[in-house]
């Protein structure tokens, strides 16, 4: 029989905060911290019960997905912009 591992309350709260406050998916955080999705889901539910949202402006699932997509697009555009700046500097230096 395998012994169940125990997690400290601080560990549980930190993992739940990742999901709630940073709008990360339960599956993603569960992989990162090394727990089952169901376990983390329970921690998140309990965290939300004990820490109610002030103002009630929590994002819906579709809004969260749209926000994540927009953040990804911004990162891509910033990388492209950085690359174009470096290439422009390279060619300006080369043809002097």
């Amino acid at each position: 029989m395998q012994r169940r591992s125990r997690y400290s309350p601080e560990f549980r709260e930190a993992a739940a905060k990742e999901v709630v406050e940073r709008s990360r998916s339960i599956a993603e955080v569960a992989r990162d911290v090394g727990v089952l999705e169901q376990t983390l889901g329970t921690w998140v539910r309990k965290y939300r019960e004990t820490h109610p949202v002030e103002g009630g402006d929590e994002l819906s699932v579709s809004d969260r997905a749209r926000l994540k997509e927009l953040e990804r697009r911004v990162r891509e555009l910033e990388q492209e912009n950085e690359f174009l700046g470096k290439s422009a500097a390279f060619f300006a230096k080369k043809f002097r």
Side-chain angles (χ1 to χ4, degrees):
M1 189 174 210
Q2 191 176 19
R3 186 175 162 211
R4 294 176 64 177
S5 59
R6 299 281 179 191
Y7 299 99
S8 69
E10 295 82 14
F11 179 81
R12 293 176 186 197
E13 185 171 333
K17 275 185 179 182
E18 280 291 310
V19 173
V20 174
E21 294 178 3
R22 296 191 178 190
S23 296
R24 293 179 62 195
S25 71
I26 289 176
E28 182 182 6
V29 175
R31 277 192 307 273
D32 289 350
V33 299
V35 298
L36 295 175
E37 291 179 34
Q38 294 85 351
T39 303
L40 181 56
T42 302
W43 298 350
V44 169
R45 183 176 36 81
K46 288 179 182 177
Y47 181 83
R48 285 184 172 143
E49 289 172 359
T50 59
H51 298 86
V53 176
E54 294 177 17
D57 54 346
E58 186 175 332
L59 297 175
S60 69
V61 173
S62 62
D63 289 341
R64 219 176 295 135
R66 176 78 173 136
L67 180 61
K68 194 170 188 175
E69 173 62 25
L70 291 172
E71 289 171 344
R72 183 191 61 77
R73 184 68 178 135
V74 167
R75 276 192 309 275
E76 287 177 357
L77 291 172
E78 287 173 343
Q79 290 173 346
E80 289 175 12
N81 193 20
E82 183 181 347
F83 174 77
L84 290 172
K86 288 179 180 179
S87 61
F90 171 77
F91 287 113
K93 185 177 175 182
K94 184 176 180 181
F95 294 113
R96 278 192 173 180

